[in-house]
């Protein structure tokens, strides 16, 4: 997989979806679904024996039965009575689909099953598109729920709560009370109700309605107004969702909303009162607000509101521990902050600092040179034309240093001044920053840098320092900043000694926690580097180290700060991929803030977490003193539970035309790319089909699945592109850390190329995260499956070759297996319950219990089971005889409770055994070297033993 998917075009074959729904007729009510089903369409019928047949399905005019043809059976047999239908499932959620050899080629979003008869048999179907599957599922669900109520079945869509509300809106605007209004007034009215609609589109809709009624006048009646509004403002995908969660009504009550928020949206501690409050705030009709129901328009508004944001509001606050050493955080950093254009000729500009500090950048760079009149200046040393007075820059920094974050600000000082002007630099900094400057001498008794919490509101200077043992007022120090590297490269004389510069004692004394030194190799660093010393690495050097010594780089970064700056070849100020260096634990990866694009999107997205304070705590596997981690691992990271991310891209709203598209008209052909960024094993991307010529509400309806081995380092980037024959054009993107995703149905606010949020431009998605065995792709079923299940993967402990230590770790082998078994058995038992309830692996247990309860109530509303508590565990006891099908489900439920019981009752003892082994192992941590030498291990063998020891401790943790 390419390291950086965002720099390539999506290298997938372009596929185009011609939606089979007639474009002029959008589905906006149950009666639309029923008319569509009466007209009929072709669906594929799937049989358990891997055969698939094409059949034409229709709904009887009297709505009593579903029929299909051709069929070998009599006409009376090739039908299914609506009254016999038990439930309708969307997706591949029956035995037939799970066992059919061709099931892999069937799209999850086009599959549906009709469950019927006392034995819960399934009629398994595949539609040509997700739209059509949704129509059949919604229509059939509506009919099934209606057949249980003695209602006038086909109530017209004109007495729904929505129409009642639209009539009041019309009447309020119809000043004369004639029941008609000017087209202009009607257009204005609809535009006011839905500001995102284009006026031309509304006018076109009225023309269509007038034409269909062969009217000569352009005046609009109440009915026409209601019809136009419904057709223009109903998003079919939201309508299908509403029908599904409202148990097939056309509105939600507080109870429906409560179940939706708990079971789908993952909201906890929700009360009926909170739901009524949401309804009162979002429902548009007076009647709905009073009676407590939410119709389609209010529900759409609610889904679009910030309350349903994809970004978890918890992470908009500081949620991480801020008391760890500074070296344990990623730090938001800018490169050559004073530049706002390219590196070579770009002028220095004060706005570079303003922008970076407002975006909570916590490491900024200043290159100071001698200026006229003994006043130091900051400038691009390749272009001295527009220097900034050092004093002015420091004043701006002082004003904005803690504007966006109160955590410490690091100033990387590139000093190119004479000793005389260095003293001026010191005076300015002391005078302007005052006691914000952190100049305390680091204590050699400490082993790590102080924490961001301890350094709040402090400004830390990074720079060169004179040796402490020499009592001199000034002296020579090596200059190993970037420019030195560039001039070395240009002269191609790498052996040249680094050039020396004079440094005065006063400037040297301003540097305390971030003393710049030259990197030699890890062995030297681990022996002699002090925790307050830090190295800067060029992009090329850091890449080489990351590839050759990933584990050592991570271990080094546990204690020391590393700064990585872009290659000297990036004259155009392009950006490196920060993820490559974050994966190795580098804290300060300097970005060219002035250059938008995929790399800056990753950087901005990453630092949105933890309250956007500019500091993000690294995963514990990269912080713990004894732990093993290599970014280049090919699969599971020891000590981390992998996760599966399930993303369904449902639809888009109000996509703008790409900026560069001058050749084309107003139409765009959008598609969506989903990129996963993280450790190399997790990096991947997938794309949806292209939707032809639709920017207002393109429907994608496609599901994707990604295995994530290190969730704490993973980010997901959604990119919308225009599939243009000239080349793909960028429409919008949004990048978010996996940890900040909220589950359920969410709208994603898309950002423009330069990173601004675009008003009303959104992507509607469904997100679910499961653990690996809680679902994921079913294994391809073959003969061997029947013989034995896929062998369970246990994380193995490694041999260190030191007998005393290996004997301790041997004691952990059994408890580790026990622990894995308990966890996997529990998760498998839950998956079986979901499967038997006909739910996908991403369903919550709450949804299972809801489905289960509706099944265990017989037709005359008497329950067929009783819930009884035995030793505080909730068992289900059958009352009388239960049909075979339900016995299976009850057995699965029983097993789930059993496995939970095993877990709850034995977890503590197993856990204690593992903790004991870990403690016993850690006692030898200090002794490792001596033990190894005693046993005659040295060099590579000794470091291998130490690495295996760290691996084992990580696994136990």
């Amino acid at each position: 997989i390419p390291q950086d998917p965002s720099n390539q075009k999506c290298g997938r074959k372009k596929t185009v979806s011609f939606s089979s729904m007639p474009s002029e007729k959008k589905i906006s009510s149950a009666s639309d679904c029923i008319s569509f089903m009466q007209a009929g369409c072709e669906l594929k019928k799937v049989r358990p024996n891997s055969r698939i047949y094409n059949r034409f399905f229709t709904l009887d005019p009297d709505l009593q039965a579903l029929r299909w043809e051709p069929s070998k059976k009599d006409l009376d047999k090739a039908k299914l009575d609506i009254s016999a239908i038990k439930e309708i499932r969307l997706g591949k959620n029956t035995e037939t689909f799970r066992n059919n050899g061709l099931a892999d080629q069937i799209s999850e979003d086009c599959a549906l099953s009709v469950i019927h008869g006392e034995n819960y048999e399934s009629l398994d179907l595949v539609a040509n598109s997700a739209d059509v599957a949704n129509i059949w599922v919604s229509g059939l669900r509506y009919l099934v729920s209606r057949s249980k109520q003695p209602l006038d079945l086909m109530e017209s869509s004109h007495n729904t709560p929505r129409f009642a509300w639209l009539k009041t809106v019309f009447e309020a605007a119809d000043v004369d009370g004639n029941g008609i209004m000017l087209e202009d007034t009607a257009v204005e009215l609809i535009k006011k109700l839905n500001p995102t609609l284009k006026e031309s589109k509304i006018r076109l809709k009225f023309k269509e309605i007038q034409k269909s009624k062969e009217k000569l006048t352009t005046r609009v009646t109440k009915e026409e107004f209601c019809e136009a509004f419904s057709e223009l403002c109903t998003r079919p995908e939201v309508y299908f969702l509403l029908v599904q969660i409202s148990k097939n009504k056309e509105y939600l009550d507080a109870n429906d909303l409560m179940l939706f928020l708990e079971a789908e949206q993952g909201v906890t501690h929700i009360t009926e009162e909170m739901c009524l409050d949401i309804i009162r705030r979002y429902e548009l009709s007076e009647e709905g607000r009073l009676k407590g129901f939410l119709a389609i328009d209010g529900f759409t508004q609610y889904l679009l509101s910030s309350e349903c944001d994809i970004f978890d509001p918890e992470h908009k606050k500081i949620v991480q521990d801020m008391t760890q050493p500074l070296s344990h955080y990623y730090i938001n950093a800018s490169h050559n902050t004073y530049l706002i254009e390219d590196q070579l000729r770009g002028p220095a500009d004060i706005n570079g600092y303003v922008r970076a500090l407002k975006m909570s950048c916590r490491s900024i760079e200043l290159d100071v040179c001698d200026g006229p009149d003994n006043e130091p200046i900051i400038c691009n040393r390749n272009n001295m034309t527009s220097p900034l007075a050092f004093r002015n820059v420091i004043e701006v920094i002082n004003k904005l240093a803690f504007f966006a974050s109160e955590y410490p600000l690091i100033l990387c000082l590139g000093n190119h001044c004479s000793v005389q002007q260095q003293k001026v630099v010191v005076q300015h900094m002391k005078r302007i920053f005052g006691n914000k400057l952190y100049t305390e001498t680091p204590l050699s008794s400490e082993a790590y840098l102080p924490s961001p919490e301890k350094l709040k509101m402090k400004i830390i200077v990074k720079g060169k320092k004179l040796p402490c043992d020499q009592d001199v007022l000034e002296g020579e120090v090596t200059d190993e900043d970037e420019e030195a590297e560039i001039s070395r490269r240009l002269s191609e004389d790498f052996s040249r000694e680094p050039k020396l510069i004079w440094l005065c004692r006063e400037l040297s004394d301003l540097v305390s926690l971030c003393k710049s030194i030259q990197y030699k190799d890890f062995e030297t660093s681990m022996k002699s580097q002090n925790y307050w010393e830090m190295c800067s690495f060029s992009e090329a050097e850091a890449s080489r180290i990351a590839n050759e010594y990933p584990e050592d780089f991570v271990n080094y970064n546990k204690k020391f700060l590393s700064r990585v700056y872009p290659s000297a070849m990036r004259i155009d100020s392009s950006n490196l991929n920060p993820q490559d260096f974050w994966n190795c634990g580098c804290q300060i990866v300097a970005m060219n803030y002035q250059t938008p694009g995929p790399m800056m999107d990753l950087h901005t997205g990453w630092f949105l977490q933890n309250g956007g304070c500019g500091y993000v705590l690294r995963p514990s596997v990269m912080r713990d003193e004894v732990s093993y981690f290599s970014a280049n691992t090919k699969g599971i990271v020891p000590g981390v539970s992998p996760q599966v991310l399930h993303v369904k891209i449902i639809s888009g709203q109000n996509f703008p035309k790409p900026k560069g598209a001058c050749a084309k008209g107003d139409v765009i052909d959008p598609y969506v790319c989903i990129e996963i960024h993280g450790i190399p094993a997790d990096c991947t991307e997938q794309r949806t089909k292209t939707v032809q010529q639709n920017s207002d509400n393109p429907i994608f309806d496609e599901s994707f699945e990604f295995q994530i081995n290190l969730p704490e380092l993973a980010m997901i980037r959604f990119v919308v592109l225009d599939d243009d024959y000239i080349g793909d054009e960028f429409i919008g993107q949004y990048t978010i850390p996996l940890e900040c995703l909220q589950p359920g149905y969410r709208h994603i606010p898309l950002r423009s190329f330069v990173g601004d949020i675009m008003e009303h431009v959104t992507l509607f998605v469904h997100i679910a995260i499961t653990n690996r065995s809680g679902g994921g792709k079913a294994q391809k079923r073959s003969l061997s499956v029947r013989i034995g299940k896929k062998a369970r993967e246990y994380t193995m402990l490694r041999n260190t070759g030191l007998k005393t230590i290996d004997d301790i770790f041997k004691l952990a082998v059994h408890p580790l297996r026990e622990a894995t078994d308990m966890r996997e058995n529990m998760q498998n038992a839950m998956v079986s319950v979901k499967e038997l309830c006909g739910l996908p692996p991403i369903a919550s247990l709450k949804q299972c219990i809801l489905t289960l309860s509706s099944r265990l109530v017989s037709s005359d509303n008497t329950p067929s089971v009783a819930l009884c508590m035995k030793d505080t565990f909730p068992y289900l006891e059958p009352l009388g005889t239960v049909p075979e099908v339900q016995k299976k489900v009850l057995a699965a439920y029983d097993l789930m409770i059993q496995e939970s019981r095993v877990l709850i009752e034995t977890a503590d003892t197993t856990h204690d055994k593992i903790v004991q082994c870990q403690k016993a192992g850690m006692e030898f941590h200090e002794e490792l070297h001596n033990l190894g030498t005693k046993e005659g291990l040295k060099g590579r063998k000794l470091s291998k033993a130490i690495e295996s020891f760290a691996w084992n401790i990580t696994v136990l943790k």
Side-chain angles (χ1 to χ4, degrees):
I1 288 164
Q3 289 287 305
D4 172 20
S6 47
N7 274 351
Q8 280 117 16
K9 290 271 168 64
C10 286
R12 225 157 261 89
K13 193 165 101 254
K14 288 190 176 166
T15 48
V16 175
S17 125
F18 289 104
S19 166
S20 52
M21 263 179 68
S23 56
E24 61 279 358
K25 183 64 185 159
K26 279 212 305 203
I27 298 286
S28 59
S29 69
S31 50
D32 292 346
C33 293
I34 286 165
S35 322
F36 181 95
M37 286 154 49
Q38 285 171 324
C41 76
E42 189 164 274
L43 298 170
K44 293 184 171 66
K45 194 171 160 190
V46 182
R47 299 297 299 270
N49 60 8
S50 293
R51 301 286 292 276
I52 295 185
Y53 307 94
N54 280 326
R55 296 288 178 262
F56 194 84
F57 280 79
T58 48
L59 173 66
D60 274 1
D62 61 3
L63 314 180
Q64 298 302 312
L66 190 60
R67 297 183 186 274
W68 56 91
E69 55 189 43
S71 168
K72 296 195 180 73
K73 300 178 183 162
D74 303 341
L75 270 179
D76 300 346
K77 298 269 168 51
K79 69 165 194 172
L80 175 57
D81 289 328
I82 298 294
S83 57
I85 297 179
K86 297 284 187 194
E87 52 192 65
I88 296 100
R89 300 176 187 170
L90 184 56
K92 301 187 281 191
N93 294 312
T94 60
E95 279 301 300
T96 305
F97 276 126
R98 278 195 282 269
N99 297 333
N100 188 312
L102 302 170
D104 275 357
Q105 297 154 31
I106 295 168
S107 149
E108 179 72 29
D109 307 294
C110 297
L112 64 139
S113 303
V114 181
I115 311 297
H116 58 91
E118 287 314 306
N119 295 329
Y120 279 66
E121 292 161 62
S122 68
L123 168 63
D124 298 286
L125 306 169
V126 182
N128 286 335
S129 74
D131 302 326
V132 173
N134 273 320
I135 293 174
W136 281 97
V137 169
S138 302
L140 287 170
R141 278 180 180 165
Y142 182 81
L143 288 175
V144 170
S145 67
R146 283 289 175 263
S147 65
K148 296 191 176 125
Q149 303 166 357
L151 250 173
D152 164 24
L153 198 71
M154 279 302 297
E155 50 178 273
S156 78
S157 49
H158 293 291
N159 47 15
T160 59
R162 180 189 208 176
F163 270 81
W165 163 67
L166 283 172
K167 283 175 194 156
T168 57
V169 171
F170 183 91
E171 283 154 13
D174 173 18
V175 231
D176 314 332
N178 296 337
I180 52 172
M181 62 171 61
L182 292 170
E183 187 181 295
D184 289 355
T185 319
V187 170
E188 277 311 301
L189 198 50
I190 288 183
K191 196 131 178 50
K192 209 168 95 187
L193 294 172
N194 186 348
T196 62
L197 280 177
K198 297 187 186 81
E199 185 175 323
S200 55
K201 203 172 165 182
I202 306 175
R203 290 199 184 279
L204 192 67
K205 180 54 70 187
F206 281 125
K207 294 273 181 295
E208 276 176 27
I209 293 174
Q210 284 152 17
K211 199 174 164 197
S212 68
K213 299 194 173 162
E214 299 184 344
K215 277 175 53 171
L216 298 171
T217 149
T218 59
R219 299 281 168 104
V220 176
T221 66
K222 198 184 296 184
E223 279 64 37
E224 288 163 354
F225 171 76
C226 294
E227 186 183 341
F229 180 87
S230 298
E231 291 193 11
L232 288 166
C233 302
T234 307
R235 286 174 42 191
E237 75 282 19
V238 177
Y239 173 77
F240 292 136
L241 175 62
L242 176 93
V243 171
Q244 180 195 327
I245 59 181
S246 68
K247 321 279 185 305
N248 318 305
K249 301 188 295 288
E250 303 223 332
Y251 59 85
L252 299 174
D253 55 33
N255 194 28
D256 297 327
L257 188 56
M258 194 157 132
L259 286 174
F260 171 67
L261 292 176
E262 286 183 325
E264 271 300 346
Q265 305 294 87
V267 182
T268 46
H269 312 304
I270 190 99
T271 62
E272 192 164 349
E273 192 39 58
M274 288 153 92
C275 294
L276 284 169
D277 174 58
I278 292 174
I279 292 172
R280 283 193 286 269
R281 282 182 294 127
Y282 288 97
E283 173 53 35
L284 299 168
S285 71
E286 184 72 22
E287 182 195 6
R289 288 196 293 271
L290 288 172
K291 293 185 178 164
F293 60 70
L294 191 58
I296 177 87
D297 304 290
F299 182 52
T300 307
Q301 296 285 333
Y302 171 64
L303 286 175
L304 279 164
S305 74
S306 58
E307 294 179 55
C308 291
D309 193 3
I310 186 160
F311 194 93
D312 184 345
E314 274 306 295
H315 288 273
K316 293 188 175 170
K317 309 193 282 271
I318 287 163
V319 285
Q320 296 174 344
D321 173 6
M322 298 306 282
T323 61
Q324 307 248 354
L326 211 52
S327 59
H328 287 183
Y329 299 84
Y330 295 115
I331 302 173
N332 185 339
S334 129
H335 175 242
N336 286 353
T337 317
Y338 49 87
L339 294 184
I340 58 162
E341 289 172 28
D342 68 35
Q343 301 291 305
L344 217 50
R345 288 179 308 278
D349 190 315
I350 195 86
N351 285 320
Y353 291 98
V354 174
R355 171 174 48 201
L357 291 169
K358 284 191 170 168
M359 288 175 72
S360 56
C361 181
R362 298 287 84 198
S363 165
I364 57 179
E365 302 184 3
L366 303 93
D367 281 311
V368 198
C369 317
D370 281 359
D373 309 327
N374 203 26
E375 272 298 340
I377 55 171
I378 286 184
C379 63
N380 182 345
R381 290 174 69 218
N382 303 308
N383 168 8
M384 308 290 263
T385 51
S386 61
L388 305 170
F390 177 75
R391 189 184 61 218
N392 296 352
V393 171
I394 292 294
E395 278 173 346
V396 166
I397 293 174
N398 185 53
K399 205 162 81 195
L400 293 175
F402 303 105
F403 168 85
S405 165
E406 49 185 8
Y407 291 102
L409 175 66
I410 299 171
L411 299 188
C412 301
L413 201 59
N415 162 31
H416 315 285
C417 296
S418 58
V419 168
Q420 189 185 355
Q421 293 210 8
Q422 287 177 29
K423 293 182 175 170
V424 181
V425 164
V426 175
Q427 284 162 13
H428 284 325
M429 283 168 79
K430 283 189 165 162
R431 181 178 57 81
I432 293 167
F433 290 149
N435 60 4
K436 289 182 195 151
L437 267 181
Y438 186 91
T439 52
E440 291 172 34
T441 312
L443 302 170
S444 43
S445 56
E446 297 280 333
Y448 283 97
L449 287 161
S451 70
E453 186 57 45
K454 208 167 167 188
L455 296 167
K456 257 187 182 170
M457 308 301 281
K458 289 292 178 197
I459 292 175
I460 300 167
V461 180
K462 167 193 171 291
K464 301 297 299 183
K465 223 168 154 46
L466 292 170
C468 325
D469 48 5
Q470 298 174 5
D471 192 15
V472 289
L473 292 178
E474 53 189 66
E476 280 189 317
V477 289
T478 58
D479 175 21
E480 76 273 318
D481 72 344
E482 289 170 46
E483 298 192 15
E485 187 230 359
I486 294 171
S487 56
R488 273 217 325 275
R489 282 202 155 194
L490 294 176
S491 66
E492 297 199 351
D493 175 9
F494 284 106
S495 58
R496 244 183 32 194
E497 283 298 300
K499 77 175 199 286
L500 296 174
I501 50 171
W502 279 96
L503 178 64
C504 73
R505 171 62 67 189
E506 293 90 326
L507 186 55
S508 168
D509 287 348
L510 284 188
V511 176
S512 71
L513 292 178
C514 291
K515 173 187 172 186
S516 301
I517 60 164
Q518 181 77 39
Y519 167 79
K520 190 163 174 279
D521 55 46
F522 285 134
E523 206 177 333
T524 316
S525 299
M526 293 316 234
K527 270 205 199 88
S528 56
Q529 187 171 338
N530 295 307
Y531 70 83
W532 61 83
E533 295 175 324
M534 64 177 283
C535 300
S536 287
F537 299 87
S538 69
E539 180 184 346
E541 188 178 17
S543 295
R544 180 183 62 77
I545 299 171
N547 283 327
E548 290 176 22
Y549 312 105
E551 300 92 341
D552 295 340
F553 213 170
V554 169
N555 282 332
Y556 171 84
N557 284 325
K558 287 175 184 174
K559 190 167 178 180
F560 307 113
L561 287 175
S562 290
R563 171 175 163 271
V564 178
Y565 56 88
S567 148
M569 300 308 172
R570 296 184 183 274
I571 292 167
D572 58 353
S573 299
S574 60
N575 276 308
L576 46 74
N577 184 346
Q579 191 91 43
D580 296 344
F581 305 104
W582 292 336
N583 288 344
C584 295
C586 299
Q587 302 85 349
I588 302 178
V589 182
M591 301 295 285
N592 289 312
Y593 266 60
Q594 69 272 41
T595 311
M599 300 300 121
M600 201 58 204
D601 293 343
L602 290 180
H603 178 267
T604 311
W606 184 245
F607 285 105
L608 286 174
Q609 59 187 318
N610 203 23
C613 73
Y615 284 82
V616 170
L617 189 62
R618 289 199 316 238
S620 62
V621 61
M622 298 168 87
R623 306 191 305 264
D624 296 338
E625 190 181 353
V626 179
S627 65
Y628 174 85
F629 174 72
S630 158
N632 297 347
T633 133
K634 285 292 164 270
I636 292 181
V637 178
V640 178
S641 311
Q643 294 179 339
V644 179
L645 168 68
H646 307 258
V647 181
K648 180 172 184 175
I649 302 285
I650 304 170
S651 62
Q653 289 72 46
N654 312 305
F655 290 163
K657 241 180 74 171
K659 285 279 183 285
C662 45
K664 288 176 64 178
D666 277 340
V667 290
I668 57 172
D669 303 337
Y671 69 95
V672 184
C673 242
I674 307 163
E675 304 170 351
I676 306 290
H677 297 262
I679 58 171
D682 290 343
C683 288
T684 180
E685 64 172 77
Q686 299 218 33
R687 58 158 289 177
T688 65
K689 293 194 280 292
T690 297
V691 173
Q692 292 293 306
Q693 309 201 347
N694 186 340
S695 57
D696 300 333
N697 192 27
I699 306 249
F700 300 99
D701 261 334
E702 275 187 74
S703 303
F704 303 93
E705 211 173 83
F706 303 94
Q707 169 147 338
I708 314 278
N709 294 292
L710 186 55
E712 288 176 275
L713 272 191
M715 270 192 288
I716 172 167
R717 181 169 181 260
F718 298 91
V719 198
V720 181
L721 298 157
D722 181 9
D723 196 345
D724 184 359
Y725 57 95
I726 304 171
D728 294 330
E729 300 267 16
F730 176 90
I731 293 171
Q733 70 84 31
Y734 184 77
T735 308
I736 179 173
L738 187 76
E739 303 267 294
C740 301
L741 280 177
Q742 294 218 83
Y745 290 91
R746 305 283 170 190
H747 281 93
I748 297 176
L750 293 178
R751 292 174 178 264
S752 69
F753 187 71
V754 292
D756 302 326
I757 293 267
M758 300 183 282
E759 216 188 359
H760 303 309
V761 181
T762 50
L763 195 57
F764 187 42
V765 299
H766 181 269
I767 301 281
I769 294 176
T770 57
N771 35 29
R772 196 171 46 119
S773 42
K777 281 241 178 1
Q779 293 303 314
K780 285 247 171 66
R781 311 227 168 191
S782 59
L783 293 174
S784 59
V785 173
R786 285 180 219 135
I787 301 158
K789 279 215 156 133
K790 182 168 137 275
R792 195 160 272 182
E793 285 176 36
Y794 296 99
T795 312
M796 292 316 213
L797 292 175
R798 292 180 178 176
N799 241 344
T800 61
L802 305 170
K803 190 172 179 323
T804 349
I805 294 179
D806 285 338
D807 287 349
I808 291 173
F809 285 133
K810 270 190 194 123
L811 298 174
V813 173
H814 186 64
L816 270 181
R817 284 186 81 97
E818 272 181 359
T820 307
D821 285 341
M822 272 191 270
R823 195 175 61 204
E824 299 275 319
N825 291 349
M826 175 71 216
Q827 290 173 352
N828 292 343
M830 282 162 63
V831 171
S832 311
V833 172
K834 291 177 188 180
E835 288 191 349
L836 287 166
C837 286
L839 292 170
I842 60 174
S844 65
L845 276 179
K846 185 136 204 149
Q847 289 165 312
C848 288
I849 301 298
L850 286 173
T851 308
L852 200 57
S853 60
S854 66
R855 281 201 196 173
L856 298 172
V857 173
S858 61
S859 48
D860 55 355
N861 261 350
T862 53
S864 57
V865 297
L867 177 72
C868 32
M869 299 303 282
K870 285 194 217 157
D871 319 324
T872 72
F873 289 91
Y875 286 95
L876 293 175
E877 296 289 328
L879 304 170
T881 51
V882 178
E884 265 320 293
V885 183
Q886 308 305 22
K887 273 190 191 146
K888 259 190 182 163
V889 184
L890 289 174
Y893 174 85
D894 226 45
L895 181 65
M896 178 171 75
I897 299 298
Q898 273 316 109
E899 294 295 358
S900 313
R901 186 168 186 159
V902 171
L903 184 69
I904 290 166
E905 289 173 354
T906 49
D908 288 348
T909 12
T910 308
H911 178 258
D912 292 344
K913 285 182 199 161
I914 297 173
V915 170
Q916 281 323 112
C917 291
Q918 187 195 325
K919 279 196 181 140
M922 280 305 281
E923 310 241 303
F924 287 98
H925 171 225
E926 306 294 330
E927 302 297 304
L928 267 181
H929 247 274
N930 307 343
L931 272 176
T933 326
K934 253 191 213 141
E935 305 239 352
L937 298 180
K938 52 177 182 284
R940 188 74 198 113
K941 277 200 172 144
L942 181 60
S943 41
K944 201 76 197 140
I946 293 173
E947 188 178 289
S948 299
F949 177 81
W951 168 279
N952 291 348
I953 293 290
T954 308
V955 169
L956 293 177
K957 266 199 186 144

